[in-house]
Amino acid sequence: MMGKPDKALPTGWTTSPREALRVTNTGPIAQYDAASTPGYTGDKQAGTAALIERGAHLADLQEMLFANGRSRGHRSVLLVVQGMDTAGKGGIVRHVGGLVDPQGLAITGFGKPTPEELTHDFLWRIHRALPPAGKIGIFDRSHYEDVLPVRVHNLVPERVWSQRYDLITQFEREVVAAGTTVLKVALVVSREKQKQRLIDRLNDPTKYWKFDPSDVEERGFWEDYLEAYQTIFDRTDGDHAPWYLIGADRKWFSRLAVCELLIDALEGLNLGWPAATFDVEVERARVAAL
Amino acid sequence: MMGKPDKALPTGWTTSPREALRVTNTGPIAQYDAASTPGYTGDKQAGTAALIERGAHLADLQEMLFANGRSRGHRSVLLVVQGMDTAGKGGIVRHVGGLVDPQGLAITGFGKPTPEELTHDFLWRIHRALPPAGKIGIFDRSHYEDVLPVRVHNLVPERVWSQRYDLITQFEREVVAAGTTVLKVALVVSREKQKQRLIDRLNDPTKYWKFDPSDVEERGFWEDYLEAYQTIFDRTDGDHAPWYLIGADRKWFSRLAVCELLIDALEGLNLGWPAATFDVEVERARVAAL
């Protein structure tokens, strides 16, 4: 699951992103500095350049995963992205997902459940969206919504949502057992930065579509959300499906951090290029003859 | 459907890509020069630079389409990509699709039909893969496979495949009527270039997975494929769902050409940014108060 422990650190990092950002090391979310860059010493300019350079490496690893998927390999990767409004979930999908071949991605955004989804168990729509072999799945929101707004607003009774932590852990263990490396990132935005980003959206007509008046109401439940997030970390973090806490006030950092975590996950698969399933010399001769 | 006729041409083009590459203007595929760059005067360096610059414009248009999809807009775009082996279909998906936010793409690769797919009408799996509102769908192969290898190798009787041209036209008219702009590109590779690319794959262990011995056999049916393609153009091209013939010996050109055709399709939607569905001043005050 984990990469090799003695692997060289990426440039600019003093601690591996996997160690520096793991929720078991960052302390509680309520005290987290959303502008911090744990483990990373570079500034915005260095981090932006690093994303391009490391993105090329990520693209190579993704192609190797894809090649294995085409060659009866059974491995895949699932990146779960959670975070409060304006934390930049969509930006992660666009700017980190955008670093690799889009054919190799299986992106799913989970909104309010549809009437059909509501007739099923809360994990039903999640199962259907899992990445097939060879792909990197990205969930923009996920089954964790069922213990976040659902819990904060009592959309189901406590006896229902309180069982979900164990159900989620069991589900994720099954997913991992089937060959999928799971990593989960929670993007942390500060109250002040969120306010600024909401105002930015209201000052730019090309961003009106991103604004939802209910986002303002959700700000009134800030402490409840922090508590709900902390419970998630306490109940569903594990080496099989680790949670990473990433400050999102500096978008360049959150993107670089997620890129590094994906690289680490892909390197941890220890894949190689698939061997030829044909006789190379014979095929060379056949092509040359035509 | 079509963009404004008096629109300025993109830099380097003497004829709009939509005119220069349309099958009704290019002549038959059997005489097509796969290394030609109809309508475009730039060289590889200029074309590569243009792809980056125009790609940023494509990304803006894609975001606007996506925003409209989120705001009850019903428009979408479908790009169908066909071409013989090594023509670079995957490269189009990667390098043109890769120019935009991957969240806005709905990419489907159609391989040999599964047993379940074979129990249904040939358009069943196609319907299911159509892009939802706000997205750009990309088909890497498509329903046209059912009149290409299926016809060349007589996988179904002629009385079955010969009916499919009309069924496809009827299907595509329905798709267009539902709000989807359809454009279809056929990538044309020369026999010599295909040979070179197959040999390249056999000389590079990181590319073995892209090689399929059956590709060599398919080279023996070259003339049959040209005839099958020509029939497709003759029977299924129309202003509602035009076919474009794009030389693929120069990959930089085929990518630029597809990018320009997508830009043209998106500009033809004449979209704007969605209006606010809330009172902007009221919301500004609410955010400021929290």
Side-chain angles (χ1 to χ4, degrees):
Chain A
M1 201 60 43
M2 319 276 277
K4 300 191 185 89
D6 57 349
K7 197 170 63 173
L9 293 171
T11 306
W13 293 82
T14 54
T15 310
S16 77
R18 173 161 40 90
E19 295 299 320
L21 301 168
R22 181 75 180 268
V23 285
T24 43
N25 296 327
T26 59
I29 188 172
Q31 270 97 62
Y32 201 80
D33 177 1
S36 65
T37 62
Y40 187 67
T41 58
D43 59 8
K44 179 174 182 174
Q45 195 182 355
T48 306
L51 183 65
I52 295 170
E53 189 202 323
R54 296 291 284 170
H57 182 47
L58 178 64
D60 288 342
L61 290 165
Q62 176 271 320
E63 189 183 6
M64 194 181 280
L65 174 64
F66 189 79
N68 276 270
R70 285 291 178 89
S71 309
R72 301 183 174 275
H74 69 294
R75 305 306 305 267
S76 60
V77 170
L78 174 62
L79 170 68
V80 172
V81 184
Q82 287 288 158
M84 294 200 213
D85 298 314
T86 77
K89 296 184 291 295
I92 290 290
V93 182
R94 176 172 185 171
H95 295 283
V96 182
L99 296 167
V100 308
D101 186 342
Q103 285 169 284
L105 298 176
I107 300 168
T108 309
F110 291 96
K112 284 194 177 134
T114 64
E116 185 189 19
E117 287 167 353
L118 284 172
T119 67
H120 294 275
D121 165 62
F122 78 105
L123 292 170
W124 179 75
R125 62 178 185 164
I126 308 297
H127 269 280
R128 293 157 58 98
L130 289 171
K135 291 213 179 180
I136 299 174
I138 305 181
F139 285 178
D140 179 356
R141 303 182 192 267
S142 66
H143 41 302
Y144 287 99
E145 293 293 302
D146 294 289
V147 283
L148 285 166
V150 168
R151 166 178 165 156
V152 167
H153 297 298
N154 298 302
L155 300 182
V156 298
E158 179 171 352
R159 67 178 162 75
V160 175
W161 61 252
S162 66
Q163 293 178 347
R164 289 182 173 169
Y165 302 99
D166 288 341
L167 291 169
I168 286 172
T169 296
Q170 181 180 315
F171 164 68
E172 290 177 350
R173 285 192 187 281
E174 286 170 18
V175 171
V176 170
T180 303
T181 295
V182 176
L183 64 161
K184 306 177 288 196
V185 302
L187 304 173
V188 187
V189 66
S190 66
R191 263 188 81 90
E192 300 67 40
K193 184 63 84 173
Q194 185 187 69
K195 184 175 195 167
Q196 184 189 313
R197 288 180 183 164
L198 287 172
I199 289 171
D200 288 348
R201 289 179 183 177
L202 290 167
N203 287 339
D204 182 350
T206 74
K207 292 184 176 171
Y208 285 166
W209 67 280
K210 296 186 180 184
F211 183 88
D212 185 331
S214 74
D215 295 349
V216 185
E217 276 128 51
E218 292 299 89
R219 273 173 71 76
F221 296 89
W222 195 270
E223 301 299 328
D224 296 328
Y225 272 106
L226 292 182
E227 195 184 326
Y229 269 105
Q230 192 59 50
T231 308
I232 282 173
F233 304 147
D234 295 343
R235 298 286 303 275
T236 69
D237 174 75
D239 285 350
H240 68 290
W243 268 111
Y244 300 99
L245 207 49
I246 302 179
D249 279 12
R250 303 176 199 245
K251 288 183 177 174
W252 64 265
F253 176 71
S254 56
R255 291 167 190 174
L256 177 63
V258 174
C259 176
E260 292 293 353
L261 291 169
L262 272 176
I263 286 173
D264 187 67
L266 284 159
E267 288 181 342
L269 298 175
N270 289 311
L271 299 174
W273 291 101
T277 54
F278 45 82
D279 184 318
V280 176
E281 289 306 322
V282 166
E283 295 303 324
R284 275 197 196 119
R286 289 179 72 219
V287 174
L290 270 172
Chain B
M1 201 62 43
M2 319 276 276
K4 301 191 184 90
D6 57 349
K7 198 170 63 173
L9 293 173
T11 305
W13 293 82
T14 54
T15 310
S16 77
R18 174 161 39 92
E19 295 300 320
L21 301 169
R22 180 76 179 269
V23 285
T24 44
N25 296 328
T26 58
I29 187 171
Q31 270 98 61
Y32 201 79
D33 177 0
S36 66
T37 63
Y40 187 67
T41 57
D43 59 8
K44 179 174 182 173
Q45 195 183 354
T48 306
L51 183 65
I52 294 169
E53 189 202 322
R54 296 292 283 169
H57 182 46
L58 178 65
D60 289 342
L61 291 166
Q62 177 272 320
E63 188 183 7
M64 194 181 280
L65 173 64
F66 189 78
N68 276 269
R70 285 290 178 90
S71 309
R72 300 181 175 277
H74 70 293
R75 305 306 306 267
S76 60
V77 170
L78 174 62
L79 170 68
V80 172
V81 184
Q82 287 287 159
M84 295 201 214
D85 297 314
T86 78
K89 295 184 294 294
I92 290 290
V93 181
R94 176 171 186 171
H95 295 283
V96 181
L99 296 167
V100 309
D101 186 342
Q103 286 170 283
L105 297 176
I107 300 168
T108 309
F110 291 97
K112 283 193 178 136
T114 64
E116 185 188 18
E117 286 168 354
L118 284 172
T119 67
H120 294 274
D121 164 62
F122 77 105
L123 291 171
W124 179 75
R125 63 177 184 165
I126 308 297
H127 268 280
R128 292 157 57 99
L130 289 171
K135 290 212 180 183
I136 298 174
I138 306 181
F139 285 177
D140 178 356
R141 304 182 191 268
S142 67
H143 42 301
Y144 287 99
E145 293 292 303
D146 293 289
V147 282
L148 284 167
V150 168
R151 165 178 165 156
V152 166
H153 298 297
N154 298 302
L155 300 183
V156 298
E158 178 169 351
R159 66 178 163 74
V160 175
W161 61 251
S162 65
Q163 293 178 348
R164 289 183 174 168
Y165 302 99
D166 287 342
L167 291 170
I168 286 172
T169 296
Q170 181 180 314
F171 164 69
E172 290 178 350
R173 285 192 186 281
E174 286 170 17
V175 171
V176 170
T180 303
T181 296
V182 176
L183 63 162
K184 305 177 289 196
V185 302
L187 303 174
V188 187
V189 66
S190 66
R191 263 188 81 89
E192 300 68 39
K193 183 64 84 173
Q194 185 186 68
K195 184 175 195 167
Q196 183 188 315
R197 289 179 183 166
L198 288 173
I199 289 171
D200 288 347
R201 290 179 183 178
L202 290 168
N203 288 338
D204 181 351
T206 74
K207 291 184 177 171
Y208 286 166
W209 67 279
K210 295 186 180 183
F211 183 87
D212 185 332
S214 73
D215 296 349
V216 184
E217 276 128 52
E218 292 299 88
R219 274 172 71 77
F221 297 89
W222 194 269
E223 300 300 326
D224 296 328
Y225 272 105
L226 291 182
E227 193 184 327
Y229 268 105
Q230 192 58 51
T231 307
I232 282 174
F233 304 147
D234 295 343
R235 297 286 304 274
T236 69
D237 174 75
D239 284 350
H240 68 289
W243 270 109
Y244 300 99
L245 207 48
I246 303 178
D249 278 13
R250 302 176 198 243
K251 288 182 177 175
W252 64 264
F253 176 72
S254 56
R255 292 167 190 174
L256 177 63
V258 174
C259 176
E260 292 293 353
L261 291 168
L262 272 176
I263 286 172
D264 187 66
L266 284 159
E267 287 181 342
L269 298 176
N270 289 311
L271 300 174
W273 292 102
T277 54
F278 45 82
D279 185 317
V280 176
E281 288 307 322
V282 167
E283 295 303 324
R284 275 198 196 117
R286 290 178 72 219
V287 174
L290 269 173

